[in-house]
Amino acid sequence: MKKRIITGTVYVVVLIGLLAMKWLVPNGWGSLGFDVLFCAISVLGSIELLRAFKKAPQELQMEVPLAQKAITISFCSAIVPMYAAVEIAMGSGWIAGLALALVYVIVTLIFMFTHFGGSTPKSTLLSLFTMLYCGVLCCVLAALNHIEHSLEGIILLFLVVMLTDAMAYIVGSTLKRWISAPLAESISPNKTVIGGVGGLIGGIAGAIAAYFIYFGFNNIGTLVVDGIMLGAFILVGFITSIAAQAGDLFESYIKRKCKIKDMGNLLPGHGGVLDRFDSMLVSGLIVLLGFIIIYI
């Protein structure tokens, strides 16, 4: 627990620093701090995921050949910087990201059909899944980081995910002895329905906090409440909280199938990068779509 608290504190300090950079540095350059974070998640996450399936039991074990592994990790290394650079320079990062993904998919399939370096259909599926789960979803986070109202979107994303995780743990562990109905017993026996409800409450609280942090006070410090905008934030926060818990359960399912406790040990007390950011990978897409709809 001590390691978990220390790592969590460092995480919050880094987050505050990245938010300050994004707020203070103009012309989109302040967003590069989060781009670096999302790129690191993509790269380290891909390595963790490939390693997890390599350690899996025989019936699920998948060894990605070196050449195909290099392609997979290089894609996860390039997709976020490519998107960010083109988006800042030309405002069409999604075209660059789509083109890069298409090239890598074609190369990966060529490797499979030619059996280059020992590539197989099984290893190709894992390679493509890793590109999607780590690379593309981190590119979605980068896209959120570069939309017009990205600062409030990033604040909402991190607050909702963090409070969903915290409240699910606090409520679940506190009330488990009285309300012990499992949420998904075959995937994660320790998670309960009441913990999931606590997570939803935390997600809504995070959305409300994000609204008041960004919109709550005018220039003279007077409280301002826009009911429609607050309601939109709450709705996005609620759906994002569901997505965050689904993302957490999805990774728990992968770890259970691979017979491992954590994806890695890079973050003391938390496990690997994917153990910390699994909820955010799925949630980023919800927040991005929500903010596109809100600001149409």
Side-chain angles (χ1 to χ4, degrees):
M1 180 58 69
K2 182 179 179 181
K3 290 181 179 179
R4 188 177 181 88
I5 292 173
I6 293 174
T7 302
T9 302
V10 173
Y11 172 74
V12 171
V13 170
V14 170
L15 174 60
I16 293 173
L18 292 177
L19 286 171
M21 177 180 175
K22 184 174 177 61
W23 179 44
L24 296 173
V25 180
N27 300 323
W29 296 106
S31 298
L32 291 180
F34 278 108
D35 288 332
V36 171
L37 173 63
F38 299 147
C39 184
I41 295 170
S42 178
V43 176
L44 296 174
S46 67
I47 295 171
E48 290 178 354
L49 190 59
L50 294 173
R51 185 188 298 131
F53 278 94
K54 182 180 179 180
K55 295 179 178 179
Q58 188 64 37
E59 65 274 11
L60 190 65
Q61 192 175 85
M62 283 185 267
E63 174 71 29
V64 176
L66 181 60
Q68 206 167 34
K69 186 182 296 183
I71 286 292
T72 303
I73 296 175
S74 68
F75 172 79
C76 293
S77 303
I79 183 69
V80 171
M82 172 71 78
Y83 176 89
V86 175
E87 183 65 22
I88 291 174
M90 302 170 59
S92 54
W94 68 273
I95 297 178
L98 184 61
L100 186 69
L102 182 60
V103 169
Y104 271 86
V105 168
I106 292 173
V107 171
T108 303
L109 292 176
I110 290 174
F111 278 20
M112 180 188 73
F113 289 121
T114 61
H115 303 289
F116 182 80
S119 299
T120 65
K122 195 174 181 180
S123 69
T124 300
L125 284 175
L126 178 56
S127 179
L128 293 174
F129 171 70
T130 302
M131 290 182 189
L132 172 64
Y133 185 61
C134 298
V136 173
L137 290 183
C138 281
C139 187
V140 170
L141 290 173
L144 173 64
N145 188 38
H146 287 277
I147 61 174
E148 184 178 355
H149 299 275
S150 60
L151 183 57
E152 57 262 47
I154 291 291
I155 291 173
L156 184 144
L157 174 65
F158 276 86
L159 281 179
V160 168
V161 170
M162 289 169 63
L163 289 180
T164 293
D165 182 53
M167 287 298 292
Y169 176 78
I170 293 170
V171 173
S173 59
T174 301
L175 300 180
K176 185 177 180 179
R177 67 177 66 183
W178 297 288
I179 309 174
S180 59
L183 181 63
E185 189 172 13
S186 62
I187 298 176
S188 185
N190 292 326
K191 288 183 171 61
T192 60
V193 172
I194 192 63
V197 173
L200 291 177
I201 294 172
I204 292 172
I208 294 172
Y211 169 83
F212 281 106
I213 287 172
Y214 199 84
F215 294 109
F217 299 90
N218 60 22
N219 293 332
I220 59 174
T222 302
L223 181 66
V224 177
V225 179
D226 181 336
I228 295 177
M229 184 61 74
L230 177 58
F233 266 56
I234 291 173
L235 179 59
V236 172
F238 177 76
I239 300 174
T240 300
S241 182
I242 294 174
Q245 296 186 63
D248 184 48
L249 284 173
F250 178 69
E251 192 188 320
S252 294
Y253 175 77
I254 293 176
K255 289 189 290 187
R256 179 164 288 271
K257 287 295 183 180
C258 293
K259 305 294 184 184
I260 58 175
K261 183 179 182 295
D262 295 317
M263 283 291 188
N265 55 11
L266 184 64
L267 304 174
H270 293 262
V273 168
L274 289 181
D275 294 300
R276 174 69 270 175
F277 293 100
D278 53 353
S279 300
M280 194 168 296
L281 289 177
V282 181
S283 303
L285 179 60
I286 303 300
V287 177
L288 177 61
L289 292 175
F291 270 64
I292 290 174
I293 293 171
I294 289 173
Y295 290 105
I296 285 179

